[in-house]
Amino acid sequence: MPMDCYEPDFVRECILTQKVYNECTIIDCPAFRIPIPHGFPPAVNVVDCSITNVVTEGAIVGPGEVSVEVSFILNVEYDGNGEPQFIQQSAQLRRRRVRLEGALPGMEVVILPLVQCLNCRPIEGGLAIECDIGVYIVVKVVALVQLEVCGRFCPEPPECEIFEPLGCPEWFELARTGAFWPPFPPQPPPSNNNNTST
């Protein structure tokens, strides 16, 4: 079947590349508890929080099923009754069996994560801090293929699992309105300069 998207400046190209066979998004806002280490003063209030060291791991666990794990470090600055304190906590978000039709053994799982610390608060009389973490993950199953191409950005994939949030409604609203898509830098428009270098 001939392609109808060619323009005068386009040429037919065949490329060897990873083809996306299916994809979906995981949107969540879990709360993580960070205990105040022994010897540290109790937390009066939280000054700042951030996420670092984001690491992803994905695998195909069976036909049409993938597992997803995102690990990260929570960095929290809090007021210990007039003394600034800094603590860290490792955390993970796991999904053991995400349904993703078309996933087959031998394919690769690609995970694109966006993880943000939304807000934190002292709990248990200042002996621990609880943080709401906004998570937006794009999960793709890909395989190496040869394609003839002419392209543009793809539409946002559907959610892997849909549920009504118990907290962080602003995070879910942003995610579901496409605020995080595409998760790549925008491509600059093509130049009108027709000069060629030699």
Side-chain angles (χ1 to χ4, degrees):
M1 180 175 174
M3 298 178 71
D4 60 1
C5 58
Y6 291 117
E7 297 179 11
D9 292 337
F10 282 70
V11 294
R12 296 170 65 117
E13 296 286 357
C14 286
I15 61 171
L16 194 62
T17 188
Q18 297 278 25
K19 178 188 184 309
V20 177
Y21 277 83
N22 205 350
E23 61 184 345
C24 62
T25 58
I26 296 173
I27 306 170
D28 203 350
C29 184
F32 289 90
R33 179 184 176 276
I34 308 169
I36 301 298
H38 182 71
F40 279 57
V44 176
N45 61 62
V46 176
V47 177
D48 193 20
C49 68
S50 64
I51 302 292
T52 56
N53 298 54
V54 179
V55 177
T56 65
E57 185 176 336
I60 296 175
V61 295
E65 288 188 331
V66 301
S67 68
V68 175
E69 181 175 316
V70 178
S71 303
F72 51 91
I73 301 292
L74 260 166
N75 306 279
V76 176
E77 178 185 355
Y78 74 90
D79 175 12
N81 204 14
E83 293 285 330
Q85 303 292 328
F86 300 89
I87 56 174
Q88 291 184 320
Q89 174 79 31
S90 60
Q92 296 83 33
L93 179 82
R94 295 186 183 99
R95 294 288 190 273
R96 296 293 185 197
R97 295 195 171 274
V98 175
R99 293 290 306 158
L100 195 53
E101 186 177 345
L104 295 172
M107 290 181 172
E108 182 184 348
V109 179
V110 175
I111 301 171
L112 305 173
L114 173 63
V115 185
Q116 292 184 357
C117 185
L118 302 180
N119 57 68
C120 299
R121 60 211 154 265
I123 58 173
E124 302 170 16
L127 298 179
I129 293 173
E130 186 177 67
C131 295
D132 296 324
I133 306 301
V135 177
Y136 179 85
I137 304 170
V138 180
V139 183
K140 302 170 180 280
V141 288
V142 303
L144 187 66
V145 297
Q146 182 171 310
L147 293 178
E148 184 178 78
V149 296
C150 136
R152 63 181 180 187
F153 277 124
C154 296
E156 184 174 11
E159 290 184 45
C160 300
E161 47 197 13
I162 300 176
F163 58 91
E164 289 307 313
L166 296 177
C168 312
E170 296 86 1
W171 178 262
F172 282 84
E173 179 66 21
L174 279 172
R176 289 176 171 164
T177 57
F180 306 140
W181 187 260
F184 315 104
Q187 182 174 331
S191 172
N192 291 330
N193 187 351
N194 291 325
N195 293 336
T196 57
S197 58
T198 57

